Amino acid sequence: MVIGEASGEWTQAEIDEIEAELRSDIARIAAEIEMSEADLSDLMRNAGVGAGDDSADAGGKVLEREQELTLTQHLRLLLEQSRRALERLADGSYGVCEQCAQPIGKLRLQAFPRATLCVACKQKTERR
């Protein structure tokens, strides 16, 4: 498979490198989610206000749980994006912007292999 691109054709070696990077990311992120969920479980188990805890202690525990929840949600999003990128590689739609159907850009994909939008469409989306 060779992905068409305004800045040059993708070689099979480059595609293989992107695929390997995505698979590595998926394994790493899945392990991080597992650790984060274990940490979150511990935080939830110890959620009660302990003897001698004041409102600042309780607030600190709530903040720590919220931060762990946010981290876990972010990791899940990255995992989903990585899996989706692999699917797009498999079905031949990798490297094509989901909004305008133009090439995303080889350098952008090499820097952020999960990208589904070209730079112009991403900028438009962020302005909204």
Side-chain angles (χ1 to χ4, degrees), residues 83-100:
R83 287 180 174 157
R84 189 158 176 234
L86 274 180
E87 289 170 6
R88 289 173 53 95
L89 267 172
D91 71 17
S93 64
Y94 187 79
V96 177
C97 178
E98 290 184 338
Q99 283 187 353
C100 69

Side-chain angles (χ1 to χ4, degrees), residues 3 5 10 14 17-19 21-22 25 28-29 74-75 77-86 88-89 94-96 98 104-119 122 126:
I3 301 169
E5 170 60 41
W10 286 79
E14 290 170 327
E17 185 178 328
I18 293 286
E19 183 177 356
E21 182 179 345
L22 287 167
D25 284 351
R28 178 186 52 78
I29 293 167
H74 178 71
L75 289 170
L77 177 64
L78 285 176
L79 182 62
E80 179 57 32
Q81 289 173 343
S82 294
R83 287 180 174 157
R84 189 158 176 234
L86 274 180
R88 289 173 53 95
L89 267 172
Y94 187 79
V96 177
E98 290 184 338
I104 291 176
K106 190 173 185 177
L107 292 176
R108 175 166 167 70
L109 287 169
Q110 287 173 325
F112 187 68
R114 295 175 206 82
T116 58
L117 301 175
C118 65
V119 172
K122 181 65 175 171
E126 289 177 350

Side-chain angles (χ1 to χ4, degrees), residues 60-78:
K61 289 179 181 178
V62 169
L63 177 63
E64 191 175 357
R65 277 194 315 269
E66 290 298 319
Q67 287 175 328
E68 198 62 41
L69 275 169
T70 300
L71 174 64
T72 303
Q73 289 171 339
H74 178 71
L75 289 170
R76 286 183 182 139
L77 177 64
L78 285 176

